[in-house]
Amino acid sequence: ETGVTQSPTHLIKTRGQQVTLRCSSQSGHNTVSWYQQALGQGPQFIFQYYREEENGRGNFPPRFSGLQFPNYSSELNVNALELDDSALYLCASSLGGSSGGPREQYFGPGTRLTVT
Amino acid sequence: QKEVEQNSGPLSVPEGAIASLNCTYSDRVSQSFFWYRQYSGKSPELIMSIYSNGDKEDGRFTAQLNKASQYVSLLIRDSQPSDSATYLCAVNIDSGYSTLTFGKGTMLLVSP
């Protein structure tokens, strides 16, 4: 059983640029959630994908967008980067949807994004 | 506004002691509760989940849930220096989709 993987590990971008972060879910999981974690804060929910559709969204602007692919992997795209977007971006996978049951989410190692 | 509150710490305990970490939440509809451990520079690691009132034990860890008081805690027995980390409390509300609301975390320091 493979765990959650994310790429890249680190990324440095300039304000105004666009970035794409990638996540592969844990084997057997069909739901991917993305979180932003600023220094000294808990993770903040960005959005969740289930069956290739956005299944819920936190308080983030539309320049944060995503995709989920048939193999349940996912991308997070951020346009028009701002300095405040500098953070650790975490992907979490879970077994979700109508299956019921627990909603444990397992995190990948994260992508550290620095916007200068 | 759904909130999860934790004391930021640091909570300092000597090796071998019991560490007690606390968390309160504001939304009475909350259904599932999780504790994550996060080492500096790393991602959160799930260590405990609890769904019903009472205690749940797993090795040196015990999670306690009191829904009436909207309170969840984590006890770590026989604390070790390797337990030094930030502990994040997360609350799940299954409202059609399942997301986690996190507290800011409590830093635990276990001294040898």
Side-chain angles (χ1 to χ4, degrees):
Chain A
E1 182 177 292
T2 56
V4 183
T5 60
Q6 291 186 244
S7 63
T9 305
H10 295 89
L11 205 51
I12 300 175
K13 289 286 189 179
T14 302
R15 189 172 52 185
Q17 286 187 317
Q18 178 265 342
V19 68
T20 298
L21 310 181
R22 296 178 174 82
C23 169
S24 292
S25 62
Q26 181 171 315
S27 176
H29 285 180
N30 57 10
T31 301
V32 171
S33 304
W34 286 92
Y35 293 83
Q36 180 196 66
Q37 187 176 25
L39 204 60
Q41 303 294 315
Q44 296 289 315
F45 174 68
I46 303 175
F47 44 56
Q48 182 181 89
Y49 278 84
Y50 169 66
R51 291 184 175 176
E52 302 178 54
E53 292 191 359
E54 187 178 289
N55 192 37
R57 189 177 184 92
N59 189 25
F60 280 82
R63 59 189 185 85
F64 286 79
S65 63
L67 285 172
Q68 187 179 33
F69 300 98
N71 67 353
Y72 306 127
S73 66
S74 177
E75 288 183 354
L76 164 65
N77 299 289
V78 187
N79 293 321
L81 284 167
E82 301 177 359
L83 297 178
D84 285 348
D85 295 334
S86 295
L88 179 67
Y89 287 84
L90 296 161
C91 162
S93 79
S94 57
L95 183 60
S98 59
S99 60
R103 295 288 190 259
E104 286 96 351
Q105 295 187 12
Y106 298 89
F107 285 91
T111 295
R112 175 74 61 184
L113 173 64
T114 302
V115 182
T116 62
Chain B
Q1 180 77 17
K2 304 176 180 66
E3 293 184 350
V4 178
E5 300 288 340
Q6 295 182 256
N7 188 323
S8 61
L11 172 66
S12 296
V13 301
E15 184 175 355
I18 296 176
S20 178
L21 303 161
N22 304 313
C23 172
T24 58
Y25 59 95
S26 63
D27 197 321
R28 291 187 173 274
V29 186
S30 300
Q31 299 176 343
S32 310
F33 307 85
F34 305 90
W35 284 98
Y36 286 82
R37 177 176 63 198
Q38 186 172 26
Y39 293 111
S40 180
K42 302 295 185 182
S43 64
E45 174 191 10
L46 179 64
I47 56 173
M48 287 290 286
S49 59
I50 187 165
Y51 306 99
S52 55
N53 282 327
D55 295 358
K56 179 182 177 182
E57 186 174 319
D58 183 0
R60 295 187 296 112
F61 299 100
T62 299
Q64 299 174 318
L65 174 61
N66 184 326
K67 289 188 176 182
S69 300
Q70 296 176 236
Y71 176 92
V72 59
S73 65
L74 179 70
L75 300 178
I76 306 175
R77 292 181 299 281
D78 187 24
S79 295
Q80 301 296 309
S82 58
D83 294 326
S84 298
T86 295
Y87 289 80
L88 296 163
C89 172
V91 173
N92 169 279
I93 301 170
D94 196 358
S95 54
Y97 64 94
S98 175
T99 185
L100 297 178
T101 300
F102 283 84
K104 292 183 178 181
T106 298
M107 181 181 293
L108 173 66
L109 298 175
V110 182
S111 54

